[in-house]
C-alpha cells in the first residue's frame, strides 16, 4: 500500500480545514500519515487527524526554525523517507518547502494542484493554469511525488472506519540549516479564515465607492472572507491583504461573489478557478459576466441588501 504523508498546517494550535482536505485526498491514494512540525500536538488534534484517516502522526520537534523553508524541508524529509507520495497545502511557504524537498530527494513536484490520483502506480495531478484558461493533467514519472493541493479543491470528509492515530516521534538532524530565526513578531492580519482558504469569498471593487459595509455583511452571512480588486486596495479603501488577483491572492472558493468589479484579466487570474462565480454589476457588458455562473445587473446598493435579507430569512426558517 502506498504511504502518503500529509504535512499538517495549524492555526492557533488547531489543525486547519485544508489539512483535512489533503488527508481526505490522501486516503484515495494510499495510507495517510500526518507530519507535524513543532511541539507534540494535544490529544484532540491527534484524534481529529485520526478521524480523517491518519494512521500515524509523526512529530518532528522543531521550534521557530520550522518557519524557515530549508529547515522545514529537512525535517519533513526526515519524517517521510518511506512515503511514496507527499501532500501539502499549496501555500506560499509550502511551495518553497515542496521544491526544496523535491530537489533533495529526486522527487517529482507539482504545486497548485486541484486534485491527484494514482494511475498505473504513478501520481497524476489536475491543475488549472494561465488564469484558469487551461486544464492540465500532469503525470509524475519519478518514484516519489510531492503535490501541493489548493484549498477548497477537495471536500474534507471523515474516514468511514477511522482508527486512533499513533503518535510517533521522529528525530531529525537539522544542523545543516544555515539560517537561524532571531525574532518572531506576528504582524496584524485580517481576522477569520485567510482569504486563500475561505470556502466563500465576497469581493468588492471600485463599484463599492469605498463603502465595504454591504460586502462585509454579505461575507458575514455567508460565513466567508472579504476580498477586493486592486483598484479598491490602491484607493486605500481596504488593506492590501484583501486583494484578489494576479498580484494579490489566488483564491479557489466554492463560491466567489464579485460586487462592483469589472473583471479585468488581472483580477480574473486570481479567482477564475472558483467553484461558482456570482457577479453584481450595473454594466451588463462588464467582462466579469463572461465568466460568471450567475449574474445580476444592478446597483450593489440595491442588490446586496436584498440578498442579505433573503439569506438571513432562509437561515432563520
Ligand atoms: C500588472 C498589473 C497587475 C494587476 N493585478 C491586479 C490584481 O491582482 N487584482 C486586481 O483586482 N487588479 C489587478 N490589476 C488592476 C486591473 O487591471 C484592474 O484595473 C482592476 O482589477 C479594476 O478594478 P475594479 O474592477 O474594482 O474597477 P473598475 O474596472 O473601475 O470596475 C468597477 C466596476 O464596478 C461597476 N460598478 C460601478 N458602480 C457600481 C454599483 N453601484 N453597483 C454595481 N456595480 C458598479 C462598474 O460597472 C465597473 O464594471 C493589475 C493591473 C496591472 C497592470
Amino acid at each position: 500500500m502506498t504511504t502518503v504523508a500529509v504535512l499538517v498546517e495549524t492555526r492557533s494550535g488547531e489543525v486547519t480545514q485544508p489539512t483535512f482536505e489533503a488527508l481526505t485526498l490522501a486516503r484515495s491514494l494510499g495510507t495517510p500519515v500526518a507530519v507535524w512540525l513543532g511541539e507534540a500536538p494535544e490529544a484532540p488534534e491527534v484524534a481529529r487527524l485520526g478521524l480523517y484517516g491518519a494512521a500515524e502522526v509523526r512529530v518532528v520537534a522543531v521550534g521557530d526554525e520550522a518557519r524557515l523553508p530549508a529547515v522545514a524541508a529537512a525535517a519533513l524529509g526526515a519524517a517521510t523517507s518511506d512515503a511514496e507520495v507527499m501532500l501539502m497545502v499549496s501555500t506560499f511557504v509550502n511551495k518553497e518547502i515542496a521544491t526544496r524537498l523535491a530537489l533533495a530527494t529526486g522527487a517529482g513536484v507539482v504545486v497548485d494542484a486541484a486534485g491527484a490520483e494514482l494511475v498505473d502506480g504513478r501520481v497524476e495531478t489536475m491543475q488549472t493554469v494561465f488564469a484558469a484558461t487551461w486544464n492540465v493533467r500532469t503525470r509524475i514519472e519519478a518514484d516519489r511525488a510531492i503535490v501541493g493541493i489548493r484549498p477548497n479543491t477537495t471536500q474534507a470528509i471523515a474516514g468511514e472506519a477511522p482508527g486512533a492515530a499513533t503518535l510517533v516521534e521522529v528525530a531529525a538532524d537539522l544542523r545543516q540549516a544555515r539560517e537561524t530565526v532571531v525574532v518572531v513578531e506576528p504582524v496584524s492580519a485580517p481576522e477569520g479564515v485567510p482569504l486563500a482558504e475561505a470556502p466563500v469569498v465576497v469581493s468588492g471593487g471600485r463599484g463599492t465607492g469605498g463603502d465595504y459595509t454591504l460586502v462585509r455583511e454579505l461575507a458575514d452571512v455567508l460565513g466567508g472572507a472579504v476580498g477586493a480588486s486592486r483598484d479598491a486596495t490602491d484607493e486605500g479603501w481596504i488593506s492590501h491583504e484583501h486583494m484578489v488577483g494576479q498580484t494579490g491572492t489566488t483564491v479557489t472558493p466554492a463560491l466567489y461573489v464579485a460586487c462592483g468589479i469589472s473583471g479585468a484579466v488581472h483580477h480574473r487570474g486570481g479567482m477564475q478557478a472558483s467553484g461558482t462565480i456570482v457577479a453584481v454589476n450595473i454594466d451588463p457588458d462588464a467582462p466579469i459576466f463572461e465568466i460568471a455562473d450567475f449574474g445580476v445587473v444592478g446597483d450593489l446598493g440595491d442588490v446586496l441588501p436584498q440578498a442579505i435579507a433573503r439569506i438571513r430569512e432562509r437561515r432563520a426558517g
Side-chain angles (χ1 to χ4, degrees):
M1 191 73 171
T2 307
T3 298
V4 185
V6 174
L7 176 61
V8 176
E9 296 289 311
T10 58
R11 194 173 311 113
S12 309
E14 291 191 2
V15 179
T16 63
Q17 188 67 8
T19 303
F20 295 126
E21 294 167 9
L23 276 171
T24 306
L25 179 64
R27 291 208 308 275
S28 70
L29 302 172
T31 306
V33 297
V35 182
W36 184 291
L37 304 185
E39 293 304 310
E42 301 284 333
E45 295 314 300
V46 177
R48 291 175 78 207
L49 291 167
L51 194 64
Y52 283 86
E56 288 177 11
V57 179
R58 298 178 183 175
V59 182
V60 188
V62 49
D64 277 340
E65 262 64 25
R67 295 166 192 271
L68 299 169
V71 176
L76 202 50
T80 58
S81 55
D82 60 332
E84 290 91 348
V85 184
M86 167 91 235
L87 298 183
M88 58 186 79
V89 183
S90 209
T91 63
F92 190 76
V93 170
N94 283 355
K95 289 183 209 177
E96 184 176 338
I97 294 172
T99 44
R100 280 177 181 272
L101 188 57
L103 193 64
T105 60
V109 63
V110 173
V111 296
D112 287 340
E117 57 188 18
L118 277 183
V119 179
D120 300 331
R122 294 290 184 211
V123 171
E124 291 191 0
T125 62
M126 288 70 85
Q127 263 176 302
T128 56
V129 298
F130 297 136
T133 51
W134 289 77
N135 291 322
V136 175
R137 176 177 275 265
T138 308
R139 181 179 168 85
I140 297 179
E141 297 293 358
D143 291 335
R144 197 157 192 244
I146 301 175
V147 180
I149 292 287
R150 276 200 167 148
N152 298 309
T153 51
T154 302
Q155 193 189 351
I157 300 170
E160 278 177 14
T166 317
L167 207 62
V168 180
E169 283 182 20
V170 178
D173 182 0
L174 305 172
R175 281 173 298 179
Q176 293 300 316
R178 294 182 190 171
E179 300 94 10
T180 320
V181 173
V182 181
V183 178
V184 177
E185 279 178 9
V187 292
S188 64
E191 283 183 14
V193 182
L195 200 52
E197 294 175 23
V200 177
V201 174
V202 182
S203 287
R206 190 175 281 286
T208 61
D211 184 353
Y212 271 74
T213 313
L214 289 170
V215 170
R216 286 185 197 285
E217 216 174 322
L218 182 59
D220 202 36
V221 291
L222 290 170
V226 173
S229 69
R230 177 162 149 181
D231 282 23
T233 60
D234 282 355
E235 288 286 356
W237 295 340
I238 185 163
S239 64
H240 277 89
E241 294 86 56
H242 293 272
M243 192 207 301
V244 170
Q246 182 180 310
T247 30
T249 304
T250 297
V251 297
T252 45
L255 173 65
Y256 187 86
V257 188
C259 308
I261 291 179
S262 59
V265 66
H266 306 102
H267 186 81
R268 288 157 65 147
M271 46 64 73
Q272 198 154 331
S274 303
T276 300
I277 297 170
V278 178
V280 182
N281 199 302
I282 43 169
D283 176 6
D285 296 324
I288 192 76
F289 287 129
E290 290 166 14
I291 56 160
D293 299 285
F294 299 99
V296 184
V297 178
D299 191 313
L300 62 87
D302 295 331
V303 178
L304 298 198
Q306 294 179 58
I308 292 162
R310 289 300 296 274
I311 294 164
R312 286 213 172 106
E313 265 169 44
R314 289 193 65 146
R315 294 270 156 89

